[in-house]
């Protein structure tokens, strides 16, 4: 029976760490070889990390990446490999190197360059034009990159029609909620349409605002998943592919014969089978890792993004301002999960408006998590501000100025602790608040990384309840009390905003789906004036969001690279 043992190495590459990434690639290639794999595939731009952004405008970076690839290829022995890198010819290309026998035998250039959302590849790369087919140990293989597989008439189809029995697609595909489900449907369609095995290898780990979820998988010619890697973890997926089954399937599909007629033959490059691979190799355990439930998936994305941002940028731990509310409680729990409780330090900074319940809940939370807490009352500092400003502000009525002073005092203290300890301040504002500007610039927005920046308030509550299922750490009262900034007497978020179960659907419709006021009103959750008020708040808060720290993207449209609305802007959406 004609077979191919294929390995997919989903690794956590670090942008710019060419030598470190190369060592990881060699380590995984050796593991795959020891398991008897004929071929191992690595993610898109695994050598450079993804996305390298304007590092691609540095000629020395491009040259060094090519040099490291040459050094790496000489060390890949006993197995063929597909490695993502940046190729330099008359221009630069997002590329896959086909390595065998200690050298690069061929290079595939990505054909479809995404230029939407977080992607900006047309800024950097030239598009490829070839769709070659490689012969490895008698098996015909097509290789393409990420976006290429999303096009029904793209290189995967051409390679399959040119004889490819296996199509390998290497990726650095960022996570968003429910994307795995959508991706699986697309890959199953490509496999069945091509009557070929489709192998999808994805990056894993966090890079600035984006997170890669892994979940690499192999689907047979019928669109069935025969192997899958774990989500949000490095993994090596190895499977024996039944190539004879592909041949038999094609015999029974006459449509393909009609499509092949008149097709221009593609390049075919033969790769000598690696020595020592083939007959007599040991059986492997071929596994399909279970998919996470939705809340577990989001939790894993957040702790992956947080852990990698902190560690890859050289911080040892995180500092969090605890308010006694749900947002800071969830961020503290996520930080403990991601960084270890010994690397999390909380500050509780009560004012004259801080309730007894908030104090009790903050102390209960840190006791449950086992993290450190320092209390610094801010009332004396606040009184000093008010005294110094009494004369300059004479004649002006009290307003949010006095509220924001408290938030800015807290931001100042948090940054002082960060400067002294070298730990990063983790801000606690959620997407609902960031959308409508319900946050204080240079106050609670001050910090280095915004963990729940893309998490709507209602999802914050859902995640907090889910986290408590693993062991109750967030006090129940935090989840039951009405949310309040506690910056003035008897304050409630609903003094300014609609209830969050009303607000979040409006924000999702406007921010993520670009719905009009008329469309949003038909949803029935809010009257036209309410919708207009929310949209006005979103539009007026752009200048604040531009000054907020980066945060983890989990929704299809996050503030940051996904959202490019001008600050100076007279257009109204109603």
């Amino acid at each position: 029976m004609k077979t191919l043992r294929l390995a997919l190495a989903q690794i956590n590459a670090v942008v710019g760490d060419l030598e470190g990434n190369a060592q990881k690639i060699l380590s995984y290639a050796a593991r795959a070889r020891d398991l008897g794999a004929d071929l191992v595939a690595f993610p898109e731009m695994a050598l450079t990390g993804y996305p390298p952004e304007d590092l691609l405008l540095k000629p020395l970076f491009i040259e060094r990446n090519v040099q490291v690839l040459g050094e790496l290829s000489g060390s890949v022995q006993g197995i063929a490999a597909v490695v993502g890198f940046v190729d330099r010819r008359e221009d630069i290309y997002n590329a896959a190197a086909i390595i065998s026998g200690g050298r690069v035998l061929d290079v595939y250039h990505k054909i479809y360059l995404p230029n939407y959302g977080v992607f900006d590849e047309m800024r950097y790369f030239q598009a490829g034009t070839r769709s070659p087919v490689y012969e490895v140990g008698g098996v015909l293989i097509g290789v393409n990159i990420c976006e290429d597989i999303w096009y029904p008439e793209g290189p995967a189809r051409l390679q399959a029609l040119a004889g490819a029995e296996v199509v390998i697609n290497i990726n650095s595909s960022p996570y968003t909620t429910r994307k795995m489900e959508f991706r699986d449907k697309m890959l199953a369609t490509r496999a069945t349409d091509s009557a070929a095995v489709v192998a999808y290898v994805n990056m894993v780990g966090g890079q600035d605002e984006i997170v890669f979820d892994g979940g690499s998988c192999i689907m047979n010619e019928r669109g069935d998943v025969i192997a899958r890697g774990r989500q949000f973890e490095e993994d090596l997926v190895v499977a024996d592919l039944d190539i004879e089954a592909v041949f038999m399937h094609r015999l029974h599909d006459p449509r393909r014969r009609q499509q092949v007629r008149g097709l221009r033959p593609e390049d075919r490059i033969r790769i000598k089978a690696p020595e020592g691979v083939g007959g007599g190799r040991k059986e492997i355990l071929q596994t399909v890792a279970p998919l996470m439930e939705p809340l577990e998936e989001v939790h894993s994305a957040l702790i992956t993004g947080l852990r990698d941002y902190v560690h890859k940028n050289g911080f040892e731990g995180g500092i969090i301002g605890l308010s006694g509310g749900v947002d800071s409680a969830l961020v503290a729990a996520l930080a403990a999960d991601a960084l270890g409780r010994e690397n999390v330090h909380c500050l509780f900074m009560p004012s004259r408006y801080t309730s007894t319940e908030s104090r009790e809940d903050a102390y209960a939370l840190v006791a449950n998590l086992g993290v450190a807490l320092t209390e610094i009352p801010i009332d004396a500092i606040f009184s000093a501000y008010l005294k110094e400003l009494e004369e300059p502000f004479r004649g002006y009525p009290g307003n949010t100025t006095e509220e924001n002073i408290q938030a800015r005092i807290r931001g100042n203290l948090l940054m002082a602790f960060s400067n002294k300890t070298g730990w990063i301040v983790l801000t606690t504002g959620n997407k609902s608040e960031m959308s409508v500007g319900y946050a204080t610039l240079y106050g609670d927005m001050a910090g280095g990384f915004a963990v729940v920046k893309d998490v709507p308030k209602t999802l914050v509550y859902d995640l907090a309840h889910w986290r408590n299922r693993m062991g109750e750490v967030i006090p129940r009262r935090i989840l039951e009390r009405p949310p309040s900034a506690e910056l003035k007497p008897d304050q409630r978020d609903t003094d300014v905003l609609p209830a969050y179960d009303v607000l979040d659907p409006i924000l999702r419709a406007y921010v993520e789906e670009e719905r009009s006021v008329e469309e949003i009103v038909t949803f029935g959750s809010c009257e036209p004036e309410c919708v207009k008020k929310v949209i006005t708040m979103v539009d007026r808060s752009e200048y604040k969001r531009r000054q907020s720290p980066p945060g983890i993207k989990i929704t299809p449209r996050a503030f940051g690279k996904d959202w490019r609305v001008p600050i100076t802007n007279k257009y109204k959406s109603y």
Side-chain angles (χ1 to χ4, degrees):
M1 184 173 68
K2 189 177 179 183
T3 63
L4 177 82
R5 182 165 289 184
L6 176 65
L8 307 178
Q10 61 177 46
I11 63 171
N12 187 345
V14 179
V15 167
D17 186 8
L18 299 170
E19 288 76 14
N21 294 336
Q23 286 303 311
K24 183 168 285 190
I25 289 167
L26 288 173
S27 173
Y28 273 79
R31 286 177 56 190
R33 179 197 62 216
D34 291 345
L35 289 170
D38 301 292
L39 173 67
V40 58
F42 292 87
E44 176 183 19
M45 296 178 73
L47 187 58
T48 60
Y50 187 92
E53 298 183 299
D54 280 10
L55 292 179
L56 294 167
L57 303 181
K58 298 179 182 295
L60 289 178
F61 176 76
I62 304 299
E63 290 172 14
R64 182 58 185 153
N65 127 94
V66 173
Q67 290 171 359
V68 172
L69 177 73
E71 296 163 5
L72 179 156
S73 63
S75 299
V76 176
Q77 300 292 336
I79 191 170
V82 177
V83 177
F85 79 112
V86 178
D87 193 24
R88 176 177 176 173
R89 303 289 173 95
E90 75 291 347
D91 204 338
I92 64 171
Y93 297 83
N94 185 338
I98 317 302
I99 298 170
S100 183
R103 63 191 183 95
V104 176
L105 295 184
D106 193 46
V107 173
Y108 172 84
H109 293 155
K110 187 174 182 178
I111 293 174
Y112 290 97
L113 303 176
N115 219 61
Y116 55 86
V118 301
F119 303 108
D120 207 9
E121 292 198 15
M122 289 184 183
R123 174 180 171 89
Y124 305 109
F125 297 119
Q126 178 60 270
T129 57
R130 294 171 57 236
S131 298
V133 173
Y134 306 100
E135 185 178 337
V136 180
V139 178
L140 297 179
I141 296 172
V143 171
N144 50 63
I145 302 176
C146 201
E147 190 81 0
D148 290 338
I149 199 75
W150 289 87
Y151 286 79
E153 300 300 314
R157 174 182 176 272
L158 293 176
Q159 289 164 338
L161 291 177
E165 297 149 309
V166 178
V167 173
I168 298 172
N169 180 248
I170 67 172
N171 294 264
S172 286
S173 180
Y175 167 81
T176 57
T177 52
R178 301 194 65 185
K179 187 174 183 179
M180 179 77 78
E181 176 185 337
F182 183 53
R183 182 193 295 155
D184 274 4
K185 290 178 180 178
M186 180 275 295
L187 292 173
T189 300
R190 294 295 169 275
T192 54
D193 285 352
S194 301
V197 174
V198 170
Y200 174 98
V201 58
N202 193 21
M203 190 81 79
V204 68
Q207 170 59 31
D208 291 351
E209 295 179 308
I210 56 180
V211 177
F212 304 104
D213 58 333
S216 303
C217 69
I218 301 173
M219 292 190 176
N220 66 17
E221 68 285 352
R222 300 182 185 277
D224 302 320
V225 178
I226 61 173
R228 189 192 301 277
R230 295 186 295 270
Q231 292 176 269
F232 304 103
E233 296 180 47
E234 290 189 314
D235 205 357
L236 184 65
V237 181
V238 184
D240 287 325
L241 310 185
D242 184 355
I243 307 303
E244 200 66 30
V246 174
F247 177 74
M248 293 300 295
H249 187 73
R250 289 177 172 180
L251 282 181
H252 292 273
D253 189 354
R255 296 172 301 169
R256 186 173 176 280
R257 297 188 184 111
Q258 308 304 317
Q259 293 174 316
V260 168
R261 285 181 187 169
L263 184 73
R264 178 178 62 84
E266 291 293 332
D267 299 335
R268 182 176 294 187
I269 298 169
R270 178 167 293 177
I271 298 173
K272 184 180 178 182
E275 294 180 8
V277 173
R281 57 188 165 190
K282 296 179 181 178
E283 290 188 10
I284 55 169
L285 181 62
Q286 191 164 305
T287 60
V288 178
L291 296 179
M292 295 177 174
E293 62 162 298
L295 289 175
E296 180 187 12
E297 191 178 84
V298 174
H299 176 268
S300 296
L302 293 173
I303 63 172
T304 298
L306 170 55
R307 180 197 65 226
D308 278 10
Y309 191 87
V310 170
H311 291 166
K312 288 180 180 181
N313 285 293
F315 294 100
E316 294 183 3
I319 299 171
I320 301 154
L322 280 190
S323 67
V326 67
D327 298 310
S328 61
L330 178 63
V331 171
L334 290 167
D337 292 343
L339 308 176
R341 62 187 183 183
E342 68 279 6
N343 296 314
V344 178
H345 196 117
C346 296
L347 266 61
F348 181 62
M349 298 166 284
S351 76
R352 64 191 66 175
Y353 304 117
T354 301
S355 66
T356 301
E357 291 84 355
S358 290
R359 176 190 297 277
E360 292 172 351
D361 290 341
Y363 273 85
L365 173 74
V366 297
N368 292 341
L369 290 173
V371 301
L373 175 69
T374 298
E375 179 172 337
I376 306 177
I378 68 166
D379 216 55
I381 306 173
F382 182 40
S383 295
Y385 266 85
L386 295 178
K387 182 179 179 180
E388 292 297 326
L389 292 169
E390 183 177 2
E391 184 58 34
F393 283 0
R394 190 176 300 281
Y396 290 94
N399 59 8
T400 55
T401 301
E402 288 73 23
E403 298 177 40
N404 291 339
I405 286 172
Q406 298 166 70
R408 291 183 176 123
I409 291 169
R410 289 174 173 139
N412 202 342
L413 291 171
L414 285 164
M415 290 308 302
F417 265 74
S418 178
N419 290 160
K420 188 62 69 175
T421 63
W423 289 16
I424 189 172
V425 173
L426 305 176
T427 67
T428 61
N430 60 65
K431 187 172 189 174
S432 306
E433 295 169 347
M434 293 299 103
S435 296
V436 296
Y438 192 61
T440 302
L441 199 56
Y442 321 124
D444 55 330
M445 291 175 65
F449 197 57
V451 183
V452 293
K453 181 181 181 178
D454 198 34
V455 182
K457 184 79 168 190
T458 48
L459 182 54
V460 167
Y461 278 104
D462 290 341
L463 286 168
H465 282 289
W466 182 86
R467 180 60 181 83
N468 273 358
R469 282 163 42 191
M470 298 168 60
E472 190 161 313
V473 292
I474 300 175
R476 187 171 300 277
R477 186 166 58 184
I478 288 179
L479 304 176
E480 295 172 349
R481 293 172 61 207
S484 168
E486 294 191 331
L487 298 173
K488 66 180 182 179
D490 302 319
Q491 188 177 32
R492 297 287 183 270
D493 289 8
T494 49
D495 297 342
V496 179
L497 305 174
Y500 287 109
D501 59 353
V502 174
L503 177 64
D504 282 354
I506 297 172
L507 295 174
R508 182 171 60 252
Y510 182 62
V511 173
E512 297 177 21
E513 301 172 5
E514 296 283 7
R515 301 273 189 170
S516 67
V517 171
E518 292 74 17
E519 289 177 299
I520 297 171
V521 169
T522 62
F523 299 161
S525 61
C526 202
E527 296 299 319
E529 289 309 310
C530 168
V531 175
K532 290 179 182 178
K533 175 186 174 182
V534 170
I535 288 175
T536 299
M537 294 176 79
V538 173
D539 292 348
R540 286 180 177 175
S541 300
E542 185 60 28
Y543 80 100
K544 282 189 179 183
R545 288 190 294 268
R546 289 286 185 94
Q547 300 178 71
S548 65
I552 303 164
K553 170 183 166 64
I554 65 162
T555 68
R557 196 176 193 194
F559 293 117
K561 295 177 184 178
D562 285 341
W563 178 270
R564 305 183 190 187
V565 175
I567 297 172
T568 306
N569 169 20
K570 293 293 185 182
Y571 177 76
K572 288 189 175 181
S573 299
Y574 56 87

